[in-house]
Amino acid sequence: MSQTKYVFVTGGVTSSLGKGIIAASLAKLLQAQDYRVTIQKFDPYLNVDPGTLNPYEHGECYVTEDGAETDLDLGHYERFLNLPTSQANNVTTGRVYQRVIEKERQGAFLGKTVQVIPHITNEIKERMQLLAQNGDYDIIITEIGGTVGDIESLPYIEAVRQLVYELGDDNALVIHLTLIPYLSAAGELKTKPTQHSVKTLMESGIKADVLVCRTEHELTDELREKLALFCNVKKEAVIQSIDVKSIYEVPLKMQEEGLDTVVLNRLQLDPHSTTQLEEWKQFLAVLDQPKHKLRIGLVGKYVELQDAYKSILEALLHSGVANEAAVEVVPIHSEALDHALENDLFTALDGVLVAPGFGSRGTEGKINAIQYVRENNIPFFGICYGMQMAVVEYARNVKGLTAANSTEIDEATSHPVIDIMEEQKNISKMGGTMRLGAWDCLLEEGSLVQQVYQTTAISERHRHRYEFNSDFTDTLFDEDFKLAGKNPDTQLVEIVENTSHPWFVGVQFHPEYKSTVAQPHPLFVSFVAAALKHHQNKK
Ligand code: GLN
């Protein structure tokens, strides 16, 4: 078996430079050359996973097939590579320490003093190499969260140093992503912050092999030479990453700059072919010049934060391209709809998506929005909480159960149409305890969703504690409002649809996590197609 090669991606100068996108873009280019690649992310915070984090902290929590609650960068990895990730692809300091402390309690360290070096760094190194165990990958790209110089990143940087030393130069390399700021007063791009950041890395014993430079302006030849000289990298390893309109353009930009070639050369790997990335380019061509335009309202309580619904936004973009349409997403704060709807706002929309969520804030607004789109035949897509609120809305406004609610919002409601799942009742711990990951769902023959998926057996990812209360099956479902999908083992309601409406679907699961550039999610594609039809009928 050939040796797995390792690429480490570190970040300097500031956060939010897009290490995840650079890692995913490089992986895409290497995958296009038939290398088997995966990407993993190591996050320096102490939470065991991001599942308990408020979206205001690090944006959306992404969920993998095996039910790991992970950093949103794993979503980018899957969307770019069209390959699933797993629990092993995301490690946090909390998880590392938890394991080391567990081992200490088991006496695994044989009376030694347990220390950051070597015990924490050994645990990190072991996890960095975990995905190589089955020989499934030629190259593993590891993104180190945070910025070089942060106290909390130090054990990771030290682990990378040791691994590069142990694996040897042919088998491991370090890419440093940095910022070249433009000072408009001086009319100049500045290299000093990058020089300092590379030096900080060197103080930890790591020499950056490749510099990827985020910039708003083209780097001149002279500037590239200067960066190469002062940062100790070859000139061809100074890679410009100029601002682009879409993250999906980045792989092509990196290819133009020769990032894949530099990496393969350095790792002593042959370039397999000059990759054309034809399908990717076609996707970008439609994205750039769409034939149609439409507007989808996204109703949620975190809409002011663009990262909170990352996977939903990307899934809408993918399915827009599949429909040759540009989807403009109109963020609508659900709390703003708690008391009154601005009808003008809604009539200007071609479809409405009600987002997932937790807790009671903004739920009345979600219910009001759903009533409006149901009564006015505007395409509606409810995801998780959005589906649950669609059930509450129907119970209240059509079935006359005016006090109907989810027990998450009103524990004492007389009509708990959404209730906590039986197996959740005795759980008191918050982290990793929801119904998570992929579960099977059986679709009803003749339902809209069956047509959309072109099959009756599907599997989708979940993240919830509450469910449709089956005591209300007979009361709520009727000729219009139908159960369209359920779990074959537990009978749990997974999908509801309203058949007297042009497109009204609520799903208990999260289809957005499975939408990729190569395979836009069928439900999103169908929803956007319905919105497009609505748009054209309005004219
Ligand atoms: N709060 C709801 C539940 O726990 C919905 C969760 C979600 O939208 N992801 O069931």
Side-chain angles (χ1 to χ4, degrees), residues 95-303:
R95 196 172 287 278
V96 169
Y97 271 79
Q98 193 183 43
R99 182 73 193 119
V100 170
I101 291 167
E102 246 169 49
K103 282 190 197 159
E104 185 273 337
R105 292 289 84 182
Q106 289 160 1
F109 300 117
L110 306 174
K112 288 269 186 220
T113 308
V114 182
Q115 294 180 292
V116 173
I117 300 172
H119 301 97
I120 295 296
T121 46
N122 282 350
E123 181 70 26
I124 293 173
K125 284 196 295 179
E126 209 174 285
R127 285 172 184 261
M128 281 176 171
Q129 297 173 93
L130 205 61
L131 287 165
Q133 266 175 2
N134 299 331
D136 292 339
Y137 300 107
D138 304 312
I139 304 165
I140 296 178
I141 301 177
T142 305
E143 179 191 346
I144 308 292
T147 309
V148 166
D150 293 349
I151 290 177
E152 54 183 21
S153 305
L154 283 173
Y156 293 100
I157 299 294
E158 170 60 11
V160 170
R161 184 194 70 73
Q162 292 184 18
L163 260 185
V164 172
Y165 169 76
E166 286 162 9
L167 293 163
D169 277 352
D170 294 352
N171 299 319
L173 76 84
V174 175
I175 296 178
H176 191 53
L177 177 62
T178 138
L179 175 72
I180 310 290
Y182 179 75
L183 292 192
S184 45
E188 267 181 52
L189 286 166
K190 291 295 185 188
T191 63
K192 194 77 82 188
T194 298
Q195 294 180 38
H196 281 299
S197 163
V198 168
K199 280 208 181 102
T200 308
L201 255 188
M202 275 186 188
E203 279 165 19
S204 307
I206 294 180
K207 181 185 152 327
D209 300 292
V210 179
L211 280 186
V212 176
C213 307
R214 282 296 304 274
T215 174
E216 289 170 15
H217 298 271
E218 297 277 339
L219 302 185
T220 59
D221 220 36
E222 198 186 342
L223 201 115
R224 287 176 194 250
E225 264 162 26
K226 183 173 171 187
L227 278 166
L229 181 66
F230 288 128
C231 299
N232 230 357
V233 298
K234 294 210 173 92
K235 191 176 157 207
E236 62 269 24
V238 176
I239 305 287
Q240 160 184 294
S241 172
I242 199 150
D243 289 0
V244 279
K245 280 204 300 269
S246 160
I247 53 170
Y248 298 110
E249 288 175 45
V250 180
L252 300 181
K253 289 282 169 199
M254 291 301 103
Q255 191 180 35
E256 277 169 26
E257 286 284 312
L259 177 62
D260 49 345
T261 312
V262 169
V263 167
L264 290 177
N265 280 344
R266 176 63 175 58
L267 294 176
Q268 309 269 317
L269 293 170
D270 296 328
H272 285 167
S273 64
T274 324
T275 145
Q276 299 303 321
L277 291 168
E278 275 319 322
E279 282 171 19
W280 197 270
K281 284 181 186 160
Q282 267 167 26
F283 173 87
L284 282 173
V286 180
L287 187 65
D288 199 41
Q289 303 220 302
K291 283 201 188 122
H292 318 282
K293 267 194 179 151
L294 64 140
R295 303 174 87 217
I296 304 274
L298 173 64
V299 182
K301 67 172 173 175
Y302 301 111
V303 283

Side-chain angles (χ1 to χ4, degrees), residues 303-464:
V303 283
E304 67 277 26
L305 188 81
Q306 54 168 347
D307 277 355
Y309 303 110
K310 195 83 203 162
S311 294
I312 290 178
L313 297 180
E314 297 305 323
L316 285 171
L317 184 142
H318 304 153
S319 44
V321 171
N323 283 285
E324 298 190 88
V327 179
E328 182 195 339
V329 177
V330 181
I332 302 172
H333 217 294
S334 47
E335 266 173 301
L337 309 177
D338 274 352
H339 302 293
L341 290 188
E342 284 172 52
N343 291 359
D344 287 355
L345 173 67
F346 276 77
T347 44
L349 297 174
D350 306 309
V352 169
L353 192 155
V354 176
F358 294 87
S360 59
R361 183 161 73 89
T363 47
E364 289 302 318
K366 286 184 171 172
I367 293 167
N368 288 337
I370 296 168
Q371 179 177 13
Y372 186 88
V373 296
R374 182 179 53 76
E375 290 174 351
N376 291 281
N377 288 326
I378 298 173
F380 163 77
F381 196 5
I383 296 183
C384 208
Y385 221 14
M387 169 268 195
Q388 296 176 357
M389 292 304 103
V391 170
V392 172
E393 191 280 323
Y394 202 74
R396 285 188 192 175
N397 299 327
V398 180
K399 298 292 172 180
L401 310 177
T402 48
N405 218 332
S406 162
T407 52
E408 179 172 0
I409 300 161
D410 176 7
E411 248 182 290
T413 172
S414 53
H415 294 100
V417 291
I418 303 293
D419 200 4
I420 190 143
M421 285 180 276
E422 199 50 44
E423 68 268 26
Q424 288 284 329
K425 286 186 178 157
N426 296 321
I427 293 176
S428 57
K429 275 196 190 159
M430 294 297 279
T433 55
M434 279 187 254
R435 179 174 182 248
L436 289 165
W439 293 87
D440 289 339
C441 169
L442 212 58
L443 306 179
E444 289 296 319
E445 287 289 351
S447 59
L448 168 66
V449 286
Q450 188 225 330
Q451 280 172 39
V452 169
Y453 278 97
Q454 300 275 307
T455 175
T456 50
I458 60 161
S459 161
E460 292 281 1
R461 300 185 199 171
H462 294 70
R463 184 172 187 247
H464 65 121

